[in-house]
Amino acid sequence: MSHVSQASVTTPDGEPTPLVPTTYGEVKGWFSAYDQVLFDWFLTRQNSGEGQPGDLLELGAFMGKSAIFLGRYLRPGEEFTVCDLFDSPATDDFNVAENRSSYPTLTRRGFETNYLAFHEALPTLIQAPTSVVADRVKPTSCRFVHVDASHLYEHVVTDIASSQLVATPDAVVVFDDYRSEHCPGVAAAVWTAVVTGGLHPICVSASKLYA
Ligand SMILES: C[S@@+](CC[C@H](N)C(=O)[O-])C[C@H]1O[C@@H](n2cnc3c(N)ncnc32)[C@H](O)[C@@H]1O
């Protein structure tokens, strides 16, 4: 994954202050136009008619590109939870190295600045490893889950298990980078869950598997 810098200006006292984006296109991230169409298709369908009740969840937000998009589909009474380490350290060396090389400039303040440029209120933020999600999010509560945090095998296995606990039976769960050459662990974890019956694939894009 190539490194993307957080847009910021430096104040006279030397503090980097995130720039407020004026268009969605200015928000840095990895969320293709193709996947935006697919997210819109699933979420509009869930929201149409009598609607499919449930909350929204994202594991791995970076600067908010996909979270800002997801937040548009939140209905009254529902909760949108976003889990990311942001500027906190990871708990294992491999995850520390992964984050240092891919997201060295990420800050929670950058995410919040971007999100609040497009929405009136922040989602519920969990600034912690995604392994806490199963304890912090209500069981069988989420109708849509976007899994895009650590791309290391052990972490994705945990994220799949957490997703299965918090998802409603008819939820859509989306996995990023399920076939990218730089992170074979995602493919190994996702396809194992498919083969053992935990996940039922619906469709795939170049970067994401929808199940
Ligand atoms: C690929 S980026 C997310 C991209 C974002 N969804 C987008 O569309 O632009 C992955 C994010 O996962 C976070 N992350 C990495 N390891 C994590 C962990 N163990 N727990 C929580 N978040 C983690 C990183 O801080 C980073 O923000």
Side-chain angles (χ1 to χ4, degrees), residues 1 28-31 58 60-62 65-66 83-86 95 98-99 103 106 128-130 146 148-151 155 176:
M1 181 175 293
K28 304 274 190 283
W30 296 270
F31 189 39
E58 177 164 88
F62 190 53
K65 186 99 188 172
S66 49
C83 175
D84 199 296
L85 288 164
F86 298 114
N95 197 193
E98 179 189 22
N99 295 342
Y103 329 110
L106 177 62
T130 55
H146 183 208
D148 191 10
S150 170
H151 288 23
H155 290 266
D176 186 64

Side-chain angles (χ1 to χ4, degrees), residues 1 98 151-152 176-188:
M1 181 175 293
E98 179 189 22
H151 288 23
L152 300 170
D176 186 64
D177 273 339
Y178 73 101
R179 59 170 208 153
S180 300
E181 62 187 3
H182 71 276
C183 51
V186 180

Side-chain angles (χ1 to χ4, degrees), residues 120-140:
E120 281 177 10
L122 288 170
T124 303
L125 290 179
I126 302 175
Q127 183 169 356
T130 55
S131 51
V132 308
V133 159
D135 293 327
R136 303 269 287 270
V137 176
K138 256 184 283 148
T140 59

Side-chain angles (χ1 to χ4, degrees), residues 4-78:
V4 176
S5 292
Q6 183 162 10
S8 65
V9 287
T10 306
T11 58
D13 55 2
E15 276 297 302
T17 302
L19 282 177
V20 179
T22 51
T23 64
Y24 182 66
E26 285 170 37
V27 180
K28 304 274 190 283
W30 296 270
F31 189 39
S32 70
Y34 195 102
D35 284 302
Q36 290 174 32
V37 170
L38 286 171
F39 270 49
D40 174 67
W41 191 86
F42 283 111
L43 289 155
T44 301
R45 191 163 162 272
Q46 288 186 342
N47 287 4
S48 66
E50 287 182 11
Q52 181 178 334
D55 296 332
L56 309 177
L57 172 65
E58 177 164 88
L59 310 185
F62 190 53
M63 287 185 254
K65 186 99 188 172
S66 49
I68 291 165
F69 194 92
L70 266 171
R72 295 182 191 145
Y73 300 86
L74 189 68
R75 295 171 298 194
E78 293 178 347

Side-chain angles (χ1 to χ4, degrees), residues 25 43 55 88 154 169 172 188:
L43 289 155
D55 296 332
S88 297
E154 291 78 4
V172 176

